[in-house]
Amino acid sequence: MTTSKMMMYSSNSQVDLEQQQASLKPQDWDLGHSPTAQSSFTEELTVVVGSRSTSPSVIGSDAVKSESKTEDPYLVTWDDPDDPENPKNWSVLYRWYITAISGLLVLSATFASSAPSGILRQLTSELHLNHTLSILTISLFVAGYCVGPLLWGPLSEQFGRKPVLLLTFAGYAAFQVGGALARNTTSVLVFRFLGGTFAASPLTTSGGIIGDIWDADVRGKAVAIFTVAPFAGPALGPIVAGYIDVAGISWRWLFWITAIFAGFCFFVVLLTVPETYAPVLLTRKAERKRKETGNEKFRSELERREMRLADRVEAVVLKPFKILFVEPMLIAMTLYLGFLYGAVYLCFEAYPIVFTLGHHLNAGESGLTFIPLFLGGIIGVVTYLLYFNPQYELQIAKHAPKPVPPEQRLIPAFYGGPLLMISFLWFGWTSFPSISLWVPLMSGLFLGTAVIFIFLALFNYIIDAYLAISASALASNTVIRSAFGAIFPLFSTQLYEALNPRWASTLLAAITLVMLPIPFVLYRYGASIRRTSRYAPTVEY
C-alpha cells in the first residue's frame, strides 16, 4: 500500500532517456545534477517514491541544445533559456500547484487500490464470494498497475501528458461506476482490473510532469515531497471503507466515492492543468510557425524522430526484460523491491487478523491501524531529505569533478533492511490479544520508514548504475513489483491463519534477513560487478 507510489516507476520515457543519456558527459551523471538522470528519478516515483523513469521533457528543453538552431534553422526549439513557453520558466507558485495536483491524482489512484479491504464482509455476503475471490478485488486492481504503465507511458510520449490523463481518468471514473452498478462477481472483478489499468496512468505521468516543470536543483525536493501522496491513498482507503461498513451503508457507495473522486480529478486536469511535455509543446510551436510563415520546413524534434507508436511500445515492453534476465544484480534488486512491495500489500490481510479478530476492532477502527505506516513513510521521506541527501551532496563535493560512485546511493538501505526485519518481528510477537494494540500498531512506523529507505536507495542505485538504459531497468522492476503486490494478498490470510501471526511474521523477517545483504554486497562488490556487465557503463570514479 505505501509503495503504490513505487509504481511511480514507470517505463514512460524509456526510449527518450536512453537516447539522451548515451550522450551525457560523466559529470552530468549524478542524479540531482543531471537533468536526464534526475528526470528518470521523478518519472518512476512517479512514484512515489519512486522512482524515477525519466522525463521526456529533456527532449525539448535540456536535450535540445541551442546550437541545434545554428545547425538547422528549421528545427524549432525554445527561443532562449527564459522562453516563457518552457514549463520550467513558469512561475514557481504555479509549478508547485501543478506538483500538488500531480500528487492528488496519485492519491486518487492509490486510494482505490486498498479501499475494498474495508468492505470485504459486505462483498462476501451480498455477492456470495469466497475469501479468495474477495481478495481479488484488491489484487486485480494492483495487477492493472502491471499493464497500465506499458500503455500510458508510450502514449504520453506520443500525444502529451494531458490528453492521456484525461482519457485515463474518464475511463477510471467510468469503471468505478461500473463497479458500483455491478450485480455479479465477474463484473466486479473485471471492473477492478480495468480500473487499476486506467488508474496506473498518474503513477506514470505525474512523475513525468514533475520532471517537465522543475530543474535539477529543485526537482529532487519536489519528488521527495510528492512521494508523500502515494502513502496517503492506501492509508485512507481502508479508513473510509471501514466506516462505510460500520455505518451500514452499502458497499456500492465506496465505488461511487472513488468514481466521484476520479471525476473531480478529471475536471481539475481539464480546467487547470496545462500540457507540460516539452516535445509536444515544441510541436505545437512548430505548427504555429508553419501557419504564420507558410514555410512547411519548420519541424520539432518529436516530428523529425518519426518513431511509430508500435516501435515505441515494442521497445518499452520487450527491452526491459531482455536486460533484466542477463543482469544478476538487477535481478537481485528487483526481487528485493518486489518482496518489499508484496509485503506491504500483505498487511491489508494481516492487520485485520490481528486488530479486527484479535483486538475486536470494528471495520472503521481497523482502517485507522494503517495510519502508522503512512506516518512512517513521512518520517522516511523527511529523514532522507534532511540527512541522507545532504550526506550525498558532501560526496558530490568530495568526488568532483568525477561522478559519485553509484554505490553511495545504497547507504539508506543499510538501515532500511534491519528496520524492516525488526518491524515484522515486532508486529508478530506483540500480536497477542493480551498485549495492548498500541504495541503492534507502532511497528508500522518502522515498516513505513524501512520501505522508503530501501526503495529510494535501490531505485537511485539502478538509475546511477545503468545510466543510459536505466529506464529499461526500472520498467521491468516496476512490472515485477506490481506482480508481487497483486499476488501476496492472495495467500496472506492463509499464511497468517496457518502459522499464526507470530510465526508468519517471523517467516517474513527470515526472508528479509536473506535479502538484507544485497545492498551490502553491492556496496562492496558493485564496481567489480558493473565492470563485467553488458549494460552498466564502466566509468572512472
XYZ file of all heavy atoms in Angstrom, residues 4 9 15 24 32 99 118 247 249 259 274 287 298 319 335 387 486:
127
model
N 2.557 2.038 -3.280
C 1.914 2.272 -4.562
C 2.668 3.341 -5.302
O 2.720 3.382 -6.514
C 0.491 2.733 -4.353
O -0.265 1.702 -3.818
N 7.086 4.442 -11.094
C 8.071 3.713 -11.798
C 7.652 3.335 -12.954
O 7.147 2.282 -12.851
C 7.761 2.593 -11.380
C 7.407 2.702 -10.069
C 6.933 2.403 -9.627
C 7.472 3.337 -9.034
C 6.864 2.483 -8.310
C 7.381 3.616 -8.098
C 7.073 3.025 -7.786
O 7.206 2.843 -6.635
N 12.571 5.279 -24.147
C 13.279 5.482 -25.415
C 14.034 6.799 -25.402
O 15.205 6.877 -25.750
C 12.268 5.457 -26.583
C 12.972 5.777 -27.885
C 11.599 4.094 -26.651
N 25.446 11.929 -22.486
C 25.822 12.730 -21.324
C 27.300 12.578 -20.989
O 27.874 11.517 -21.154
C 25.004 12.305 -20.099
C 23.523 12.712 -20.110
C 22.872 12.184 -18.848
C 23.379 14.199 -20.214
N 20.236 14.407 -9.563
C 20.105 15.632 -8.796
C 20.886 16.737 -9.453
O 20.671 17.901 -9.191
N 2.463 20.521 -9.172
C 3.034 19.418 -8.397
C 2.013 18.863 -7.401
O 1.865 17.645 -7.243
C 4.289 19.885 -7.641
O 5.253 20.369 -8.582
C 4.902 18.749 -6.838
N -11.889 -2.709 3.394
C -12.823 -2.361 4.466
C -14.249 -2.819 4.229
O -15.085 -2.720 5.133
N -21.219 2.089 9.315
C -22.449 2.883 9.248
C -23.605 2.133 8.609
O -24.734 2.634 8.573
C -22.178 4.170 8.472
N -23.880 1.460 5.464
C -24.082 1.942 4.093
C -23.620 0.861 3.128
O -22.644 0.154 3.388
C -23.304 3.250 3.859
C -23.756 4.317 4.859
C -23.478 3.750 2.433
C -22.925 5.585 4.816
N -15.506 6.938 -7.817
C -15.893 7.490 -9.118
C -15.980 9.013 -9.052
O -15.514 9.717 -9.972
C -17.229 6.912 -9.572
N -2.130 22.539 -17.556
C -1.755 22.656 -18.965
C -0.900 21.463 -19.400
O -0.479 20.647 -18.582
C -0.924 23.937 -18.990
C -0.247 23.932 -17.653
C -1.237 23.314 -16.685
N 3.947 24.012 -35.407
C 2.716 24.151 -36.194
C 2.349 25.615 -36.357
O 1.912 26.036 -37.440
C 1.578 23.384 -35.504
C 1.753 21.875 -35.530
C 0.719 21.161 -34.675
O -0.025 21.860 -33.948
O 0.665 19.916 -34.711
N 9.540 23.998 -41.079
C 9.684 24.060 -39.623
C 9.169 22.770 -38.993
O 8.037 22.352 -39.238
C 8.928 25.265 -39.058
C 9.609 26.581 -39.302
C 9.114 27.460 -40.257
C 10.745 26.932 -38.592
C 9.737 28.668 -40.484
C 11.375 28.149 -38.813
C 10.874 29.020 -39.765
N 12.371 -4.736 -24.347
C 13.751 -4.469 -23.951
C 13.994 -4.568 -22.448
O 15.022 -5.108 -22.018
C 14.196 -3.102 -24.475
C 15.672 -2.846 -24.241
C 16.108 -1.536 -24.879
C 17.602 -1.294 -24.677
N 18.056 -0.035 -25.308
N 14.017 -8.475 -7.047
C 13.404 -9.408 -6.100
C 13.239 -8.758 -4.725
O 12.215 -8.948 -4.057
C 14.252 -10.674 -5.989
C 14.236 -11.601 -7.213
C 15.198 -12.763 -7.003
C 12.824 -12.111 -7.485
N 18.832 14.187 6.122
C 20.082 13.530 6.494
C 20.795 12.882 5.307
O 21.920 13.239 4.976
C 19.841 12.482 7.578
C 21.102 11.752 7.977
C 22.074 12.373 8.763
C 21.342 10.447 7.546
C 23.250 11.716 9.108
C 22.509 9.775 7.890
C 23.459 10.414 8.664
O 24.623 9.771 8.987
N 0.267 -7.787 -6.336
C -1.006 -8.423 -6.663
C -1.110 -9.827 -6.089
O -2.199 -10.272 -5.691
C -1.190 -8.470 -8.186
